Amino acid sequence: MMRLPMIWAIARAEIRSTRRLTRYWVFAVLSVLLAFLFYMQYAAIHGFASNISATVGAMGPRYLISSMGIYLLIIFLLGLIFLAFDIRARDVRERMAEVLDSRPVSNAELLVGRSLGLVIMAWLPVLFTAGLLQTFGSIALLFDWPLGEPVEPYSLLGFTLDALVAFVLWCSVI
């Protein structure tokens, strides 16, 4: 039987150790930066060329998440995959392998807790990116800039929840 307090303790420990990794912060900053630059590219194309072509006008910043969501998800999943593959090597490198192998925790609790910790840490940049896109779009709409408007909230919510499901799937597979 799996104990929820034990799973949550393992997840918190994984979150703490992942948060200390330099490679996590490099992944998080690069993924958010790439996602924002990708959004800005599509928004700039729409803002400067939508009066020339109806095709370009159809991809407005409000509905961009449906077009660029798969690319954003790939960026975030690559970071999660690299973090997940490194778990056991990190334990061996930090000489924690013997301690973990003699633990009073079941294998299922350990796997679920570690997966939960990694999924939460990988999902945080997705939430930050969603907030960043909404904030930038709101500011652009407020100042009447041609480069943006807020992303449609339901599609952004759907993207963040779909990203969570994809993270859980891929992290559990790895």
Side-chain angles (χ1 to χ4, degrees):
M1 184 170 146
M2 294 196 327
R3 300 165 291 178
L4 257 42
M6 185 62 74
I7 291 172
W8 185 240
I10 294 168
R12 281 193 322 245
E14 187 62 35
I15 288 170
R16 197 170 30 254
S17 66
T18 302
R19 195 177 53 216
R20 292 178 181 155
L21 292 174
T22 305
R23 75 182 126 245
Y24 169 75
W25 290 106
V26 169
F27 148 71
V29 169
L30 280 177
S31 62
V32 169
L33 185 66
L34 281 173
F36 186 69
L37 290 175
F38 203 55
Y39 172 82
M40 287 302 297
Q41 176 190 8
Y42 273 98
I45 289 170
H46 173 75
F48 296 123
S50 63
N51 59 350
I52 299 169
S53 169
T55 305
V56 174
M59 60 176 200
R62 185 158 176 84
Y63 302 105
L64 273 182
I65 204 71
S66 64
S67 322
M68 65 184 225
I70 188 71
Y71 304 114
L72 296 180
L73 192 60
I74 289 171
I75 292 168
F76 292 122
L77 276 174
L78 283 175
L80 174 70
I81 288 169
F82 287 127
L83 287 173
F85 271 124
D86 191 44
I87 289 177
R88 186 65 179 175
R90 199 172 12 150
D91 289 342
V92 170
R93 188 174 54 245
E94 294 171 358
R95 297 181 185 197
M96 287 295 294
E98 295 85 14
V99 174
L100 288 173
D101 289 340
S102 65
R103 68 202 174 277
V105 184
S106 72
N107 284 338
E109 290 171 342
L110 181 69
L111 289 175
V112 170
R114 284 193 151 184
S115 296
L116 180 65
L118 280 178
V119 165
I120 289 171
M121 289 304 288
W123 199 45
L124 287 177
V126 173
L127 293 176
F128 184 77
T129 301
L132 182 68
L133 294 181
Q134 283 298 87
T135 303
F136 178 78
S138 298
I139 292 171
L141 189 63
L142 183 67
F143 290 110
D144 200 28
W145 293 338
L147 290 182
E149 61 183 276
V151 178
E152 204 277 319
Y154 291 118
S155 65
L156 196 59
L157 179 67
F159 171 71
T160 55
L161 293 178
D162 286 344
L164 179 64
V165 170
F167 289 165
V168 169
L169 173 73
W170 283 106
C171 192
S172 64
V173 166
I174 293 169

